[in-house]
Amino acid sequence: MRILVVNVNTTTSMTDSIVAAARAAASPGTEIVGLTPTFGADSCEGNVDSYLAAVGVLDVVSKHPEPFDAVVQAGFGEHGREGLQEFLDVPVVDITEAAAIIASLLGHKFGVVTTLDRTVPLIEDRLMLAGLDRRCAAVVASGLGVLELEEDPERTLATIVAKAKEIVAMRGVEVICLGCGGMAGLDEAVAQATGAPIVDGVASAVALAESLVRMNLTTSKVRTYAPQRRKSLSGWPLP
């Protein structure tokens, strides 16, 4: 089985971290291939970044030369999953929805700790669109930018733990989702510090993607994600 794990930003060091977490979660025999868009923002922290990422992800996936069995879109709250589902015949799993689905199996209410406050509405909207918002008690910002997550690992961990403890104590949260692909791999340390189950979206998405492939299931093409109608597309695919 080969799964493409696509970073939504253009920072290759973050792609490397995401891929490492994906490989740690994958079953023996599953090949994880990391992809980085060739254009877009170096970190996704708003609507413009997110819409650029949606096109960048579609572009890099469409040009991948080898066959693959599933795609994981590794951006928390980002746009683009629907386009990939329409474009591809293989399963597509977004880490936001994957984390929320897994978290919903582990407790009555889950919470999300993410990066900047401006990204909170994007995550709330993604959860609402997926019908997962009713199980979410809180989406809170750590105040750290995406690229800051890699600068000082100790500070990053301490900040995320503090926010996680806060929403467990104050918001009735029983399970925490790490709300950024750049937080991949921090789940065990945050769990030890908080005592709550911590859900990593990258690991969750890989596990769900593997399950869909093994069950021989993929996106329905009956209506919503039916193949794109043939038409003239100006400037696409990109050179």
Side-chain angles (χ1 to χ4, degrees):
M1 188 187 307
R2 178 181 290 136
I3 298 177
L4 303 186
V5 177
V6 194
N7 185 7
V8 297
N9 66 47
T10 59
T11 301
T12 55
S13 62
M14 194 156 290
T15 304
D16 293 342
S17 297
I18 291 168
V19 167
R23 287 176 177 157
S27 301
T30 296
E31 179 185 1
I32 300 295
V33 179
L35 297 181
T36 307
T38 58
F39 63 89
D42 60 358
S43 62
C44 290
E45 295 165 329
N47 285 285
V48 172
D49 300 341
S50 184
Y51 278 107
L52 283 172
V55 182
V57 166
L58 183 60
D59 176 65
V60 74
V61 169
S62 70
K63 294 175 179 175
H64 188 69
E66 299 175 323
F68 50 90
D69 300 292
V71 173
V72 168
Q73 179 173 294
F76 216 93
E78 308 306 333
H79 299 89
R81 185 262 298 161
E82 297 88 346
L84 284 173
Q85 285 188 291
E86 182 176 304
F87 186 73
L88 300 173
D89 293 324
V90 301
V92 176
V93 184
D94 171 75
I95 67 170
T96 320
E97 296 163 9
I101 289 167
I102 296 299
S104 295
L105 301 175
L106 303 177
H108 179 63
K109 292 285 187 178
F110 68 87
V112 179
V113 178
T114 188
T115 52
L116 300 179
D117 183 66
R118 62 179 293 150
T119 67
V120 169
L122 277 72
I123 295 171
E124 291 175 338
D125 284 352
R126 173 55 61 186
L127 293 174
M128 181 172 62
L129 187 64
L132 297 164
D133 56 310
R134 293 184 64 184
R135 300 292 295 277
C136 182
V139 180
V140 296
S142 65
L144 297 174
V146 171
L147 299 183
E148 289 183 86
L149 297 174
E150 296 183 332
E151 291 178 359
D152 187 342
E154 291 186 6
R155 175 194 176 204
T156 295
L157 179 60
T159 302
I160 293 171
V161 165
K163 284 296 180 181
K165 286 182 175 180
E166 178 184 312
I167 59 175
V168 168
M170 305 294 292
R171 306 282 192 94
V173 166
E174 299 175 3
V175 184
I176 302 292
C177 296
L178 299 178
C180 179
M183 296 178 182
L186 297 179
D187 48 326
E188 291 187 9
V190 181
Q192 290 177 1
T194 62
I198 307 298
V199 179
D200 175 9
V202 173
S204 299
V206 168
L208 290 176
E210 285 184 328
S211 297
L212 290 171
V213 173
R214 291 197 180 98
M215 295 172 70
N216 198 29
L217 293 172
T218 192
T219 306
S220 171
K221 297 295 180 178
V222 171
R223 188 184 187 193
T224 307
Y225 304 113
Q228 181 189 25
R229 296 183 65 191
R230 290 189 178 183
K231 58 186 66 180
S232 176
L233 296 176
S234 299
W236 178 266
L238 299 174

